[in-house]
Amino acid sequence: GHGGYYEKQNGAAKYLTNDISNFSANAGSANYTYMGKLCGINPGAWCAMTVSTAVYEGCGSDKTAAKKAMWGVWPYTACNQLYDAAPSTHKGRRGSWTPKPGDVIVFSDNGSVRTHTGMVYAVDSSYIYTYEGNSANMARKRSYSKNSTYIWGYVRLNLDAASEQDDTDAKETVKAFQRWLGVSDDGVYG
């Protein structure tokens, strides 16, 4: 829903309202964004805050559910934070993890320092398709070869916990998140 949104050159409230229908207004490279406003950190590196915004909106704009879904780290504001918080059963490195739509993808420029993040919205036999903030100063969709050395690893969200483990609520949370991602809303993660 935020694809094509440009970061802003300043933090004027009129450019950071909840109505972000004019995605290109006040475009710049100063890291002021709607996502940063929502997360309470403006300006700031906003790739992780875009993930936080996606989970928040996908969980029905419920901060408590978003925090549970993100292993206690909503808002997610640093590229290493979510991976470090997730249990080993819900994360893995490139080559040892099979990504699914809804997973958070973590990138590294040098193979050790995690420098960027996004959301997986589709996977096929060769490519990972992502939605990222702070990509060329905007929110946009991208794709990567599954073997790209830029991919560091993945984190699976805790959407069942976001719904307090009730099967009906959990399935509805997953469905809402799938609708936000624009994929089939069958209620099955991935």
Side-chain angles (χ1 to χ4, degrees), residues 16-33:
L16 301 174
T17 65
N18 291 334
D19 174 16
I20 59 169
S21 57
N22 191 344
F23 286 11
S24 60
N26 195 35
S29 58
N31 284 326
Y32 287 99
T33 62

Side-chain angles (χ1 to χ4, degrees), residues 52-118:
S52 285
T53 300
V55 175
Y56 169 75
E57 291 177 352
C59 288
S61 299
D62 180 333
K63 289 181 182 177
T64 301
K67 187 170 186 173
K68 288 177 183 177
M70 296 181 74
W71 304 105
V73 294
W74 194 96
Y76 170 39
T77 58
C79 298
N80 60 338
Q81 188 179 21
L82 183 60
Y83 191 91
D84 292 347
S88 61
T89 55
H90 284 74
K91 63 185 177 185
R93 298 289 302 270
R94 175 185 44 86
S96 66
W97 186 260
T98 303
K100 294 181 177 184
D103 285 354
V104 175
I105 187 169
V106 181
F107 300 99
S108 174
D109 290 331
N110 64 12
S112 61
V113 178
R114 291 164 275 175
T115 57
H116 187 61
T117 189

